[in-house]
């Protein structure tokens, strides 16, 4: 059932779980709660499918979290990565096994929602959430949360999952605090078959001119997704980087079909993940890998956990039990994704000072390339890598201690 549900039907019932947002985090949460047999409603302000600024890379941890039977709509399978440092010192590394796959986000996200619907979740599009209330006249009892839509309509739930993106209203209700914010700019560039063939099976990652910045080219059939990301506040420089990047690649003569921008927000370590019977996940919680800003796997994994714990919160008969379940959700997030984020923050800080060192390692140091492959293929995570490889721990600690050096002096031609 989809957006044809009448508002009268929604008002007559109290849903077990209401999920706000139908991206990967929301769809994953809805699926997890619906599979558990609960009454689940997904509220999405846009129509589906809808565009999302994102490279669309599906790494191993993302694949491992998908619902059973989910067939990924890959537009390309990546076996090679070309690395460059602000357009120079280019080198390509290859893998016999697929490193990761590339999807178009509108298609991928829509399929995830359809799987949640098949599991029993109901979808309502065109529904913009104005606020969430856990006290007051709109709330009939202490076990209920009121989700108030624009226009005044109220939807009632035993638990709410906020998965409404980086500008989340639910995140504001919970009190999510941010550590840093980045600006990503992206063009979807249709190209002739001869150009598309040159890129097939290969992506480009370019370490950029501003601290912490990088660019990418992801091929998807007859379109190249070309983007850059850097710290917010460097908007003009980030735009110049994208234009220069596209020019260097010889793509300036092709007209983008889509030009978009997006802010990625990374949570502070002490940022809350819940408030009362409301949980947040994915971008709404500021969950992503801080160095690469990879967010799909964090959305899928945190969404699944949020859906599972939302079921327990929906079953809680009092505030104490609900609080216990919410704390268990926070512990599950911090024990897994939180560890990865902690390592990623350290790597971002080092990368911002010394991008040339990262470039030299990935293009010339075999263990670093193997670690990159293992992470993208799903054999390990950043957190597991640090726990299980003393050499990786020592290398990161050494880079932490070393002072920043001029990037030009660090890079030698591979």
């Amino acid at each position: 059932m989809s957006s044809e549900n009448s508002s009268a039907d929604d008002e007559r019932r109290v849903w077990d779980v209401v999920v706000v947002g139908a991206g990967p985090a929301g769809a994953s949460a809805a699926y997890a709660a619906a599979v558990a047999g609960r009454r689940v409603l997904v509220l999405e302000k846009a129509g589906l499918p809808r565009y999302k600024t994102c490279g669309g890379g599906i790494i191993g941890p993302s694949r491992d979290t998908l619902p059973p039977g989910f067939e990924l709509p890959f537009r390309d399978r990546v076996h090679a990565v070309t690395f460059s440092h602000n357009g120079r010192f280019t080198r390509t590394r290859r893998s016999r096994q697929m490193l990761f796959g590339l999807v178009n986000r509108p298609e991928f996200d829509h399929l995830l929602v359809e799987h949640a619907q098949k599991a029993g979740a109901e979808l309502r599009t065109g529904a913009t959430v104005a606020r969430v209330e856990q006290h007051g006249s709109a709330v009939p009892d202490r076990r209920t949360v009121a989700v108030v839509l624009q226009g005044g309509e109220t939807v009632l739930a035993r638990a709410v999952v906020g998965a409404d993106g980086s500008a989340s209203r639910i995140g504001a209700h919970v009190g999510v605090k941010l550590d840093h914010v980045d600006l990503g700019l992206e063009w979807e560039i249709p190209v002739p078959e001869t150009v598309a063939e040159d890129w097939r099976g290969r992506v480009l990652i370019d370490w950029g001119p501003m601290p912490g910045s990088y660019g990418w080219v992801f091929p998807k059939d007859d379109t190249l997704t070309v983007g850059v990301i850097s710290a917010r506040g460097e908007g003009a420089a980030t735009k110049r980087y994208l234009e220069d990047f596209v020019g260097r690649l010889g793509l300036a003569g092709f007209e983008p079909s889509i030009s978009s921008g997006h802010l990625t927000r990374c949570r502070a370590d002490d940022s809350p993940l819940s408030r009362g019977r409301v949980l947040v996940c994915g971008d709404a919680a500021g969950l992503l890998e801080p160095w690469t800003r990879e967010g799909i796997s964090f959305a899928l994994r945190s969404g699944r956990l949020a859906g599972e714990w939302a079921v327990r919160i929906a079953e809680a008969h009092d505030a104490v039990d609900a609080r216990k379940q919410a704390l268990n959700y926070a512990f599950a997030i911090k024990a897994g994704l939180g560890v990865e984020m902690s390592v990623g923050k350290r790597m971002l800080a080092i990368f911002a000072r010394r991008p040339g060192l990262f470039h030299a390692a990935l293009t010339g140091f075999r263990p670093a390339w193997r670690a990159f492959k293992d992470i993208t293929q799903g054999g390990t995570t950043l957190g597991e890598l640090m726990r299980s490889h003393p050499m990786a721990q020592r290398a990161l600690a050494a880079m932490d201690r070393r002072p920043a050096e001029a990037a030009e002096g660090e890079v030698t031609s591979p």
Side-chain angles (χ1 to χ4, degrees):
M1 196 177 298
S2 72
S3 56
E4 288 80 13
N5 297 328
S6 71
S7 59
D9 286 342
D10 290 342
E11 288 178 356
R12 278 199 299 267
R13 70 173 95 186
V14 177
W15 297 87
D16 291 321
V17 178
V18 166
V19 178
V20 183
S28 186
Y31 177 86
V35 161
R38 299 302 182 266
R39 298 187 308 279
V40 180
L41 175 66
V42 181
L43 299 174
E44 168 59 43
K45 66 180 179 181
L48 297 178
R50 46 93 176 103
Y51 183 77
K52 162 78 173 176
T53 304
C54 176
I58 305 297
I59 61 175
S62 296
R63 296 195 300 270
D64 294 342
T65 313
L66 293 168
F70 187 94
E71 293 188 15
L72 278 157
F74 283 148
R75 295 296 176 173
D76 206 341
R77 290 169 167 80
V78 177
H79 287 80
V81 182
T82 297
F83 295 99
S84 63
H85 185 226
N86 202 18
R88 299 181 300 157
F89 312 113
T90 301
R91 183 171 181 183
T92 299
R93 305 300 303 259
R94 301 184 185 277
S95 170
R96 291 181 182 177
Q97 295 179 315
M98 183 181 79
L99 294 167
F100 55 95
L102 300 174
V103 299
N104 286 326
R105 281 291 302 275
E107 185 179 14
F108 174 70
D109 291 11
H110 198 198
L111 285 173
L112 283 171
V113 172
E114 288 180 343
H115 270 260
Q117 288 177 283
K118 289 174 185 175
E122 297 189 23
L123 169 69
R124 184 174 170 188
T125 56
T128 300
V129 173
R131 64 186 184 278
V132 172
E133 296 182 6
Q134 301 195 62
H135 307 281
S137 59
V139 183
D141 57 62
R142 293 183 179 181
R143 289 190 60 208
T144 307
V145 181
V147 181
V148 183
L149 308 184
Q150 280 188 1
E153 180 191 342
T154 298
V155 179
L156 301 178
R158 299 295 183 206
V160 171
V161 175
D164 49 336
S166 59
S168 171
R169 290 185 182 274
I170 312 304
H173 172 80
V174 167
V176 171
K177 295 187 288 184
L178 304 173
D179 194 41
H180 67 262
V181 181
D182 296 299
L183 170 65
L185 300 177
E186 192 168 75
W187 290 354
E188 301 286 352
I189 306 177
V191 293
E193 173 60 27
T194 52
V195 176
E197 184 60 35
D198 288 342
W199 286 96
R200 200 147 286 143
R202 176 175 66 93
V203 302
L204 169 65
I205 297 176
D206 177 76
W207 314 117
M210 294 94 72
S213 67
Y214 76 95
W216 62 88
V217 179
F218 285 1
K220 300 168 188 174
D221 295 334
D222 61 352
T223 298
L224 300 179
T225 298
V226 183
V228 300
I229 194 164
S230 187
R232 183 179 65 172
E234 298 286 344
T238 305
K239 187 172 184 292
R240 281 196 303 274
Y241 176 29
L242 176 59
E243 292 168 348
D244 292 345
F245 185 43
V246 170
R248 286 201 310 262
L249 296 168
L251 300 173
F254 302 112
E255 187 69 24
S257 59
I258 297 175
S259 175
S260 64
H262 179 67
L263 292 176
T264 63
R265 296 172 165 91
C266 182
R267 72 185 292 272
D269 290 339
D270 62 345
S271 179
L273 290 160
S274 67
R275 178 180 173 184
R277 290 177 174 266
V278 178
L279 306 177
V280 285
C281 59
D283 285 344
L287 293 167
L288 79 166
E289 198 284 289
W291 174 41
T292 63
R293 289 77 151 188
E294 191 278 322
I296 296 177
S297 76
F298 278 69
L300 291 169
R301 289 182 285 171
S302 65
R304 183 188 65 187
L305 290 170
E308 292 170 352
W309 289 106
V311 168
R312 294 171 172 84
I313 289 173
E315 295 169 345
H317 290 286
D318 55 45
V320 173
D321 191 17
R323 177 63 176 160
K324 176 184 175 183
Q325 304 307 331
L327 287 172
N328 286 337
Y329 167 68
F331 178 80
I333 291 289
K334 292 173 183 177
L337 301 180
V339 172
E340 293 178 42
M341 290 185 71
S342 178
V343 176
K345 286 180 181 180
R346 291 177 66 190
M347 293 185 71
L348 175 62
I350 298 166
F351 170 68
R353 299 196 311 267
R354 315 183 68 207
L357 181 63
F358 276 75
H359 181 73
L362 283 167
T363 57
F365 186 50
R366 194 177 298 274
W369 170 245
R370 277 202 304 267
F372 180 91
K373 285 201 304 180
D374 285 347
I375 290 169
T376 58
Q377 291 171 337
T380 189
T381 65
L382 271 176
E384 291 169 356
L385 188 69
M386 289 298 136
R387 279 195 297 264
S388 58
H389 290 74
M391 186 174 72
Q393 296 172 16
R394 290 195 295 271
L396 193 62
M399 288 189 289
D400 266 340
R401 288 193 298 269
R402 289 180 63 179
E405 298 173 11
E408 300 298 327
E410 290 185 332
V411 181
T412 56
S413 182

